[in-house]
Amino acid sequence: DKRVIVQKPHIFGSLNINNFYNPDSCENLMFEQFSGPAAIFEFNNLEYRAKLIRVNRKTLTLFGAENVPVSEISVNIRNYYSPETRKVILNTMQEIIEAGGEKSCVAECRTVNKQEMVWVKFHFWLLSSIGNRHTIYCLMEDITEEKISENTLLATNSQMSMLMDNTTVGLLLMHL
């Protein structure tokens, strides 16, 4: 039974983040066993920075980081995405602070060890806030296969369009 070790527990508002660290708590069980890849971030909207507080095993698997200490991931998290991706994620977190509710975004990230690209749809919810510090819950969805299919379809459509534009013979498509 492997447990994810995190750096320092935080308590914000009415949500006690410590419950996510307690192996016997319902929060930890739900976080580890009954959700997909998930993480908890602390977002400081004045500094426009997000700090990774907690991830589950499925998140580590998604990013190929099963054997990497969480403390190392937290420190080096910027190495796993581009400045453009960072901006998309932080802007989405800022929107949650301003509007509440759920916000989603799609971003291209890199796996930790293999440096392969993975497309991720991030779903964010604001859990609690004190001052400029906000606790944000994040569920992740691997949409890499969908993006590959989408890109292949776009390339095929582009090639078909080019063929049709440059052919002197007409094409007839019939559905029987």
Side-chain angles (χ1 to χ4, degrees), residues 9-27:
H10 297 273
I11 299 174
F12 298 113
S14 62
L15 177 72
N16 186 345
I17 299 298
N18 288 322
N19 291 340
F20 285 95
Y21 306 120
N22 179 351
D24 299 323
S25 73
C26 292
E27 290 89 341

Side-chain angles (χ1 to χ4, degrees), residues 22-46:
N22 179 351
D24 299 323
S25 73
C26 292
E27 290 89 341
N28 184 63
L29 178 65
M30 291 179 69
F31 189 76
E32 283 293 338
Q33 301 297 323
F34 299 123
S35 76
I40 298 174
F41 291 92
E42 175 186 316
F43 179 69
N44 186 317
N45 61 324
L46 281 185

Side-chain angles (χ1 to χ4, degrees), residues 52-65:
L52 180 65
I53 301 299
R54 175 84 156 67
V55 296
N56 66 7
R57 285 267 160 225
K58 293 175 185 175
T59 302
L60 297 176
T61 301
L62 174 63
F63 292 104

Side-chain angles (χ1 to χ4, degrees), residues 93-160:
M93 288 182 176
Q94 183 67 41
E95 289 175 20
I96 291 173
I97 304 307
E98 295 167 359
E102 174 189 357
K103 297 288 180 185
S104 298
C105 65
V106 173
E108 187 177 24
C109 303
R110 285 188 290 257
T111 59
V112 174
N113 296 328
K114 300 175 186 172
Q115 295 298 307
E116 294 174 2
M117 297 312 282
V118 60
W119 282 94
V120 179
K121 184 170 187 178
F122 295 90
H123 303 272
F124 296 104
W125 291 269
L126 178 63
L127 294 178
S128 63
S129 298
I130 290 185
N132 298 316
R133 294 178 3 178
H134 310 277
T135 305
I136 296 176
Y137 181 75
C138 174
L139 278 177
M140 292 161 256
E141 181 181 354
D142 183 356
I143 61 167
T144 304
E145 292 300 320
E146 292 173 37
K147 279 295 194 178
I148 289 171
S149 296
E150 180 182 314
N151 291 340
T152 301
L153 182 61
L154 288 172
T156 302
N157 285 344
S158 176
Q159 290 171 350
M160 183 64 130

